[in-house]
Amino acid sequence: MAAVLAPCTALAGGYDTGERNWEFLFQEKTVSFEAGARYIIPRRTLNNIIGVFGPSVATDEADEFYVTRISATARLGDIATCMASYREPWGGYANYGLTWTYAASAVEQNFSSRDYGITCGARIPLSKGQLHFIGGISYQTIRYELTRFAGPAGLVRTDVSDSGIGWRAGIAFEIPEYALRTSIIYNSSIDYSMTGTLSGAALFVPIFGNMTMPQSVELRARSGVAPGWLMFGSIKWTDWSVTDNMPLCAVGTPACSLPVAVSALTLLWKDTWTVTVGAAHKVNDKVSIAGSLTWDQGATQGFTSQTDTWFANTTVVVSPNDNFELKLGGGVGLMTGGNLSTMMLPGGIPNPVGYTASFGDDLLYSFSANATLRF
């Protein structure tokens, strides 16, 4: 029944997709494979928009997107297990359109990532359980795309990317007899030297900038509480305050900063906590079901709309035999309302395309499917 433990976070804090966990490492079979995808549909509408260019019609900010995952594990004797994984840990998509007054600020924004990792765990048998030492490394890429409307010049596109190396380390303890497991895993931050172009009609400028994706620490726990019943939970801290501002400057600029930037990604986020609690029940030998509730602390400090989110998720697991498993999940979340202002950039610099806006409590939806083969 442990397989139903799939708490689903959606845009935790900032760009976190929730696809940065390594639970699949704890497989008991000699070889295991999984593949899955999750479709995220956030609904965020900006209202009462006014700023440098005057008032604007309301606009839908967030846009739907999907994330995928692939894992393969192999047990190496009685001591170790290793997992190769593909994840998309960071993602955020916004499509404001051309009808709002502040299209010079953004028409569309896309932030995407890919993480190719190897994670291994070594087991030490204890009198009543096992102690696991966990370590891993990832090659990770990120990409930021921004489309703006520049009046007579038409659409201007920013496109920058880079790759980096990250690592993780942790420890876990489990007693299989009671379906008990606790783990704590640290994921390192990754620094990126972003390069790319600013392009448009009769415009092509090589640009550069720097960005850091945050470190995090996550504690997970689960335990059987009654025949056929399991409780689980997790708490995660993410260092989003390092992802505050990315000025992008023309190649050759001696020192890149906002006053000389030709484009930028400004977030001004704070560190966040994410908490999940849930329960799982084995209906019969072939079907299990789990439900979870997640609170994602908003990363915004007033510059963006990433406020607190409450997310309820249900997962149904169908296991016709020990070698195959199918998970189908769905959930609904509430993104809390608030206000934002982009009128002032870091360092007290007035934003030439700045605006203020308000937004109410908005909904987001998520649907997922995951298949596992074990041998």
Side-chain angles (χ1 to χ4, degrees):
M1 189 173 68
V4 302
L5 296 180
C8 173
T9 56
L11 300 180
Y15 287 141
D16 195 339
T17 65
E19 292 294 338
R20 207 175 180 214
N21 69 76
W22 319 105
E23 287 290 298
F24 198 70
L25 180 67
F26 298 100
Q27 295 295 307
E28 295 299 325
K29 293 286 188 177
T30 303
V31 177
S32 301
F33 301 93
E34 73 157 352
R38 186 152 55 90
Y39 191 52
I40 302 169
I41 311 170
R43 302 299 188 197
R44 174 65 92 193
T45 301
L46 301 183
N47 300 295
N48 304 313
I49 304 169
I50 191 168
V52 174
F53 301 142
S56 172
V57 296
T59 185
D60 292 331
E61 180 186 43
D63 202 5
E64 54 203 50
F65 65 102
Y66 69 93
V67 292
T68 58
R69 59 184 290 157
I70 302 171
S71 306
T73 65
R75 286 182 67 105
L76 309 176
D78 295 327
I79 297 175
T81 300
C82 284
M83 174 180 71
S85 61
Y86 169 78
R87 300 284 189 268
E88 296 174 2
W90 318 115
Y93 297 79
N95 190 349
Y96 303 88
L98 285 165
T99 60
W100 76 316
T101 306
Y102 292 86
S105 173
V107 174
E108 185 177 358
Q109 291 188 87
N110 294 331
F111 193 96
S112 58
S113 67
R114 295 182 177 183
D115 184 296
Y116 306 89
I118 295 290
T119 307
C120 291
R123 295 181 293 277
I124 298 178
L126 300 177
S127 59
K128 280 204 168 184
Q130 295 179 339
L131 187 64
H132 299 255
F133 293 96
I134 301 165
I137 191 169
S138 283
Y139 171 77
Q140 191 176 108
T141 66
I142 62 170
R143 183 179 184 183
Y144 174 62
E145 301 166 273
L146 168 67
T147 301
R148 296 175 291 161
F149 180 68
L155 295 176
V156 175
R157 187 167 183 259
T158 297
D159 189 345
V160 291
S161 61
D162 191 28
S163 61
I165 301 296
W167 58 273
R168 56 197 154 273
I171 191 169
F173 173 73
E174 64 178 347
I175 303 177
E177 180 183 357
Y178 305 118
L180 184 150
R181 181 192 299 142
T182 61
S183 65
I184 184 167
I185 296 181
Y186 168 82
N187 287 284
S188 73
S189 61
I190 305 179
D191 296 325
Y192 293 95
S193 297
M194 307 289 280
T195 57
T197 58
L198 180 72
S199 61
L203 176 69
F204 188 86
V205 180
I207 58 177
F208 74 100
N210 296 298
M211 188 173 191
T212 298
M213 296 309 292
Q215 62 182 335
S216 66
V217 179
E218 184 171 23
L219 172 67
R220 288 175 174 249
R222 72 173 205 193
S223 179
V225 293
W229 285 92
L230 199 70
M231 298 291 294
F232 59 90
S234 67
I235 181 168
K236 180 169 71 172
W237 170 80
T238 305
D239 185 22
W240 277 119
S241 59
V242 302
T243 312
D244 57 351
N245 184 43
M246 180 178 62
L248 295 166
C249 299
V251 170
T253 304
C256 187
S257 61
L258 274 177
V260 294
V262 295
S263 185
L265 172 61
T266 301
L267 300 171
L268 302 181
W269 281 342
K270 64 182 179 183
D271 298 349
T272 65
W273 292 91
T274 303
V275 180
T276 295
V277 294
H281 177 55
K282 185 176 181 179
V283 179
N284 55 48
D285 290 339
K286 299 186 185 310
V287 178
S288 299
I289 187 168
S292 64
L293 178 65
T294 297
W295 168 66
D296 295 333
Q297 183 183 15
T300 184
Q301 298 188 88
F303 196 88
T304 67
S305 65
Q306 274 78 17
T307 52
D308 289 11
T309 298
W310 293 88
F311 189 79
N313 185 71
T314 300
T315 302
V316 176
V317 181
V318 179
S319 305
N321 54 58
D322 290 340
N323 297 326
F324 178 74
E325 173 182 283
L326 177 65
K327 298 179 188 176
L328 298 174
V332 60
L334 177 70
M335 300 182 292
T336 56
N339 301 280
L340 67 84
S341 174
T342 68
M343 296 295 292
M344 199 66 66
L345 297 172
I349 302 172
N351 188 350
V353 292
Y355 61 91
T356 63
S358 63
F359 43 91
D361 293 341
D362 293 314
L363 296 177
L364 70 87
Y365 306 92
S366 177
F367 303 94
S368 63
N370 195 92
T372 300
L373 285 173
R374 303 183 182 95
F375 303 96

